[in-house]
Amino acid sequence: MSPARDETTPGVLLAHHLKQLKLPTVLREYDKVARECAQGGLDHPRYLLRLVELELIDRERRMVERRIRAARFPAVKSLDTFDFAAIPSLNKMLVLELARCGYILSRENVIALGNSGTGKTHIALALGLAACQKGFSVTFTTAASLVNQLLEARDERRLLRLQRELAAVKLLIVDELGYVPLSSTGAELLFEVFSQRYERGSTVVTSNLPFEDWTSVLGSERLTGALLDRLTHHVSILSLNGDSYRLKTSRSRRGRAERAEQNQATADPHDPETGEILPA
């Protein structure tokens, strides 16, 4: 056997075995970590410990990324970027407690109520992100989109499969309930989803309507009462009332842009029409 083969074969076999064992981080890092440990005088158990820790950290990161992709968030948002001072009616301590995801373990619900633009979707997305980071499966959808999916699944004879998938997810987020009135069939299908999750999984719902106005969306007092009975049995209610969070943010951006233009105009000594230098 040639020396070149003696040198290359162990590396080739090791790479093959690590791929088979699905240890990509060990494969990527083992040589570098070996050199670092040799320089630091670390023994073999500490070398292996460092490699395994790197693999576990990277594996958890990949799993979180997969859960985030599976959730189908329209955007990834966290509580770090939410301006709680802009919505004084919101119980910040309750939101931070919910981000610890104990309510998911207890199979409880969260309902966020408030005017349009006050940050309900941001809060729902942040709770969904926290759940993904804690290891829970999450599905995000709007109420209108969910109803459309249910109707299509019924027409294509796969409703039971979709219902099982929705019932199995640890956290279901239904955004914008109340923006679009639902047909009687759509409302009944949506009720069935919530009913199947009752005390089996957690649901986050956001709505721009107070509870007494949900009948205008669901079209039936009986159905609305039964739905609220299930959603509010074990629930944390978040109140987001006030001026539009998005509108204030937009105004703030416009104001900064206008001030920047004014400062630039003040600093520029040239006439905007002729290009000549204006007198001081």
Side-chain angles (χ1 to χ4, degrees):
M1 187 177 291
S2 66
R5 183 173 179 80
D6 288 338
E7 292 175 2
T8 58
T9 299
V12 172
L13 290 175
L14 180 58
H16 172 76
H17 295 334
L18 290 174
K19 289 177 182 177
Q20 290 292 104
L21 291 169
K22 294 182 171 58
L23 298 172
T25 306
V26 173
L27 174 59
R28 186 177 65 248
E29 301 289 341
Y30 78 88
D31 190 48
K32 182 182 73 173
V33 175
R35 291 195 301 270
E36 293 172 351
C37 289
Q39 292 172 358
L42 298 181
D43 56 21
H44 286 86
R46 287 184 174 82
Y47 165 63
L48 289 174
L49 176 61
R50 184 173 295 184
L51 269 182
V52 171
E53 286 175 341
L54 288 173
E55 184 67 52
L56 287 173
I57 292 170
D58 202 39
R59 181 170 296 184
E60 177 58 29
R61 177 188 60 78
R62 294 194 301 269
M63 290 176 66
V64 170
E65 290 175 351
R66 283 197 293 270
R67 287 192 288 268
I68 291 173
R69 287 195 298 270
R72 297 182 180 178
F73 297 129
V76 177
K77 295 190 177 184
S78 70
L79 292 177
D80 294 338
T81 58
F82 187 83
D83 185 5
F84 284 94
I87 309 294
S89 66
L90 180 61
N91 187 335
K92 180 179 179 179
M93 296 308 298
L94 175 56
V95 174
L96 295 179
E97 178 62 28
L98 290 170
R100 298 173 64 181
C101 300
Y103 73 100
I104 300 177
L105 293 172
S106 303
R107 299 179 179 87
E108 298 175 353
N109 302 322
V110 178
I111 300 178
L113 302 175
N115 305 332
S116 178
T118 51
K120 300 182 298 298
T121 299
H122 189 144
I123 292 294
L125 288 168
L127 293 180
L129 176 62
C132 288
Q133 293 169 337
K134 293 287 186 180
F136 298 104
S137 58
V138 180
T139 293
F140 181 98
T141 182
T142 64
S145 176
L146 178 56
V147 168
N148 286 335
Q149 292 178 52
L150 292 165
L151 290 170
E152 290 177 2
R154 183 203 58 176
D155 295 341
E156 296 171 4
R157 299 181 182 275
R158 52 180 179 85
L159 179 59
L160 289 177
R161 184 176 67 186
L162 177 57
Q163 288 175 330
R164 283 195 297 267
E165 292 172 356
L166 293 169
V169 71
K170 296 298 183 182
L171 177 62
L172 175 64
I173 302 175
V174 181
D175 195 29
E176 298 182 347
L177 179 64
Y179 286 83
V180 179
L182 305 177
S183 66
S184 59
T185 303
E188 290 172 1
L189 289 171
L190 183 62
F191 168 78
E192 189 65 22
V193 169
F194 289 138
S195 181
Q196 290 172 351
R197 294 185 58 78
Y198 176 60
E199 295 190 328
R200 296 188 184 94
S202 294
T203 305
V204 172
V205 178
T206 75
S207 178
N208 63 320
L209 298 177
F211 291 138
E212 57 267 25
D213 292 341
W214 281 25
T215 303
S216 63
V217 177
L218 299 170
S220 165
E221 291 186 6
R222 176 191 59 80
L223 194 65
T224 302
L227 175 61
L228 288 173
D229 181 61
R230 286 160 176 76
L231 279 179
T232 61
H233 186 200
H234 308 288
V235 70
S236 295
I237 298 177
L238 303 176
S239 175
L240 293 89
N241 293 312
D243 296 332
S244 170
Y245 180 77
R246 287 196 296 266
L247 182 59
K248 286 194 289 187
T249 302
S250 176
R251 287 173 176 170
S252 177
R253 283 199 299 266
R254 284 204 305 271
R256 288 196 298 269
E258 290 172 358
R259 287 193 296 272
E261 289 177 0
Q262 291 172 356
N263 292 336
Q264 184 178 2
T266 303
D268 190 352
H270 296 83
D271 187 300
E273 295 183 1
T274 66
E276 298 177 354
I277 297 178
L278 297 172

